[in-house]
Amino acid sequence: MKKFLAVLCVAAVCTSVLVAAPKKSKVKGVKIGVSMPTKDLQRWNQDGANMKAQLQKAGYKVDLQYAANDIPTQVSQIENMVTGKCKVLVIAAIDGSALKNPLDQAKKKGIKVIAYDRLIMNTDAVSYYATFDNYKVGTIQGEYLVDKLGLKDRTKKNPVYMELFTGDPGDNNINFFFGGAMDILNPYIESGVIVVPSKQTSKAQCATLNWSTEEAQKRMENLITSNGYGPKGKKLDAVYSSNDSCAMGITNALKSAGYTAENFPLITGQDCDITSVKNMIAGTQAMSIFKDTRTLAAKVVEMVDAIVKGSEPPINDTKTYDNGTGIIPSFLCEPVYGSKENYKELLIDSGYYTEAQLK
């Protein structure tokens, strides 16, 4: 009940954030560049659309570009934003280490850069970082598994069997997602309460290129074959997944192996993508972290507005995120988790989705 009330409180805070929009004075016609990784994942479509709508409502012109998960394309798009006289750039990087050259150009022109959701590495051109508390994302996922699997009451004589998946090795966020989750799960692995039959527990072994559903499915299929997992085969209690696109691939592989809602392993996720929410309702995904992109977009608009008007942007973290050139001042929004039990209050009542979208 306490967790449910906390979710409602966070949802209420998110709703209140949405009504506060910066005044349009002195910003009309100022151009803001927004660079998103791809349209292929639902969350980036929503992030881009929310950002553009809120910036335009505040009076800005917006150059929104999607890079089709292609690094040279994103580099070229950002270069065009720099030459196109954007005042501020908001960038969700495909690869956080691949943007130094275009951002050096931005810095020379006095253009401020806000890294969005993914920290941009190894350049001092990044002024600010806006994201969710990504370490907390991982700890919530880990704590969920501890709770639902009853790990505190188990011993190595009664272990759970689990496999582990995280995202793209070029995304700095996996250090926080996977790191947070493993800080919770590792003590149970070390004590033998969690058994990982594949022995694939390092970040490199568990990484999924481009957060690809297809790559996650291939790896899960290989794990099923090599370990003999199945409803009538070797026991599999849970699969830790850092996000929903990986969770979808894992789910597809497990369905093909004969698992049904009645015996499905617990699968974690992140983003509350529509397909994953449908899977939660159907009983084939246990949970997903909800990161309300409306909240993050609203905070970024506040940051942009402060930069344009020459005041200090809102910041609540000056210790955590070092991009290789120093600590980047950051604003961290609060994540919460959704499940079959609370998705209606969290996602439908808040207006994030309609009931029809989840049918």
Side-chain angles (χ1 to χ4, degrees), residues 6-25:
V7 168
L8 290 181
C9 289
V10 172
V13 170
C14 292
T15 303
S16 68
V17 171
L18 301 181
V19 300
K23 294 181 180 179
K24 294 185 181 181
S25 59

Side-chain angles (χ1 to χ4, degrees), residues 43-285:
R43 72 144 301 179
W44 297 119
N45 279 322
Q46 289 181 310
D47 281 60
N50 285 330
M51 187 92 58
K52 183 175 183 178
Q54 293 195 43
L55 284 167
Q56 287 180 333
K57 185 177 180 181
Y60 295 97
K61 289 184 177 178
V62 182
D63 180 5
L64 170 62
Q65 299 291 331
Y66 294 89
N69 257 340
D70 181 69
I71 294 169
T73 297
Q74 187 167 48
V75 169
S76 176
Q77 288 173 344
I78 292 171
E79 288 173 342
N80 289 337
M81 290 175 184
V82 171
T83 58
K85 298 182 179 180
C86 287
K87 181 76 173 179
V88 181
L89 301 180
V90 181
I91 301 171
I94 297 168
D95 184 332
S97 300
L99 298 178
K100 185 178 186 305
N101 289 340
L103 295 191
D104 283 348
Q105 296 173 27
K107 185 177 180 181
K108 287 179 182 177
K109 291 181 176 290
I111 299 169
K112 297 294 185 181
V113 175
I114 300 173
Y116 183 89
D117 194 66
R118 298 173 173 178
L119 185 59
I120 301 170
M121 305 299 291
N122 304 319
T123 170
D124 62 1
V126 178
S127 303
Y128 302 100
Y129 182 35
T131 188
F132 285 82
D133 188 334
N134 293 320
Y135 180 80
K136 190 171 183 178
V137 167
T139 62
I140 292 173
Q141 291 169 326
E143 288 165 354
Y144 179 91
L145 292 173
V146 170
D147 180 45
K148 296 301 180 182
L149 295 167
L151 298 188
K152 292 179 180 178
D153 298 322
R154 290 179 180 260
T155 69
K156 63 181 180 181
K157 293 181 180 179
N158 182 30
V160 301
Y161 296 88
M162 186 183 300
E163 295 292 348
L164 309 167
F165 283 69
T166 192
D168 187 86
D171 184 350
N172 184 63
N173 282 347
I174 73 167
N175 296 314
F176 296 93
F177 301 148
F178 193 67
M182 293 306 286
D183 281 350
I184 300 298
L185 299 177
N186 258 331
Y188 296 99
I189 295 173
E190 292 168 358
S191 68
V193 173
I194 294 175
V195 175
V196 182
S198 70
K199 302 189 186 305
Q200 295 176 7
T201 59
S202 72
K203 182 177 67 177
Q205 290 172 315
C206 301
T208 306
L209 188 65
N210 291 327
W211 297 92
S212 165
T213 295
E214 293 74 22
E215 290 299 317
Q217 182 168 340
K218 287 177 189 176
R219 179 168 171 249
M220 191 69 236
E221 288 170 346
N222 290 336
L223 291 172
I224 290 168
T225 300
S226 58
N227 291 281
Y229 295 129
K232 297 181 180 179
K234 192 167 185 177
K235 186 180 181 185
L236 181 64
D237 296 291
V239 182
Y240 167 76
S241 170
S242 285
N243 91 327
D244 284 348
S245 57
C246 293
M248 290 174 206
I250 296 162
T251 297
N252 293 341
L254 291 172
K255 284 181 178 178
S256 295
Y259 287 96
T260 64
E262 288 69 34
N263 55 30
F264 223 81
L266 296 181
I267 301 176
T268 61
Q270 175 184 181
D271 294 329
C272 282
D273 286 342
I274 286 176
T275 300
S276 282
V277 177
K278 290 180 178 180
N279 286 341
M280 288 194 294
I281 296 168
T284 56
Q285 183 170 326

